[in-house]
Amino acid sequence: MSDANSRRQVAFSERRRNPRPVDLVLSSAMAACIVCAPLLWPLSTRVAPRVLILVCLVLVPALILSFHSKVTVDVEYVRLSLVPVWRKAIPRADIIDARQRTILARDMGGLGLRRTSDGATGLVMRGRKGVEVTLTDGRRYVLGTDRPEDLLAVLARPASGVKAAGGGAGT
């Protein structure tokens, strides 16, 4: 196995969607929009209103329904994403602390990619479990996960090219 391939081996990966009730409401709303779009289409022969009908009643709901978060950890990076709009790769060597954290949606102003009430960047789609990661520059990320123990265990392992030292990630 080549060195490049060994570095890309994924040690942790989790994909999280909206809570089931939110998905059901969004799916119902999208179905209603798809039914309404053909009914509104003949009301205008101009291009601009038809484009608005297509965008507002089909494309936007489909985009919203496709949102999910993903956290992936390999030997070198922690990769965060709110698919399909945001991605962030954090070098594991930059992580100085990782700890379990309880997440409350009210502290974050909702779900998704948010700023927490204490200034961290939160990537939370559902649930109350999370892991807070602190970087060498002081930035913090709160990652919603159904498996905080697994994520913390992976983060506690030394990153590629970094010697294990006391007080690192997972303390």
Side-chain angles (χ1 to χ4, degrees):
M1 185 181 308
S2 77
D3 188 44
N5 286 335
S6 66
R7 276 187 262 135
R8 288 192 202 114
Q9 286 183 338
V10 174
F12 178 91
S13 183
E14 185 176 36
R15 180 177 178 235
R16 300 183 85 205
R17 294 190 49 82
N18 288 316
R20 185 163 305 279
V22 173
D23 260 352
L24 290 173
V25 168
L26 288 173
S27 296
S28 299
M30 185 172 171
C33 289
I34 289 172
V35 167
C36 288
L39 298 174
L40 294 173
W41 195 264
L43 296 179
S44 177
T45 57
R46 294 178 35 208
V47 172
R50 285 186 169 187
V51 168
L52 282 174
I53 289 168
L54 184 65
V55 169
C56 295
L57 294 181
V58 178
L59 298 179
V60 171
L63 178 68
I64 291 170
L65 197 57
S66 72
F67 278 115
H68 64 275
S69 68
K70 187 169 183 181
V71 176
T72 305
V73 181
D74 61 31
V75 177
E76 292 185 28
Y77 290 96
V78 174
R79 298 177 198 282
L80 313 174
S81 59
L82 181 62
V83 178
V85 295
W86 180 81
R87 288 195 170 113
K88 177 78 176 173
I90 300 169
R92 292 211 27 217
D94 290 355
I95 297 173
I96 59 170
D97 187 43
R99 64 182 179 89
Q100 193 161 343
R101 176 172 169 166
T102 300
I103 300 167
L104 299 173
R106 71 171 179 258
D107 291 340
M108 296 185 59
L111 300 175
L113 182 65
R114 305 287 183 145
R115 182 72 59 188
T116 64
S117 58
D118 62 357
T121 300
L123 179 60
V124 179
M125 294 304 286
R126 66 171 186 262
R128 294 177 169 237
K129 297 177 188 176
V131 169
E132 180 176 314
V133 174
T134 304
L135 306 183
T136 54
D137 63 6
R139 287 182 293 162
R140 293 177 298 123
Y141 293 88
V142 177
L143 316 174
T145 177
D146 289 326
R147 302 170 18 224
E149 297 83 9
D150 294 344
L151 180 54
L152 286 169
V154 169
L155 291 175
R157 295 182 210 147
S160 176
V162 177
K163 293 181 181 175
T171 60

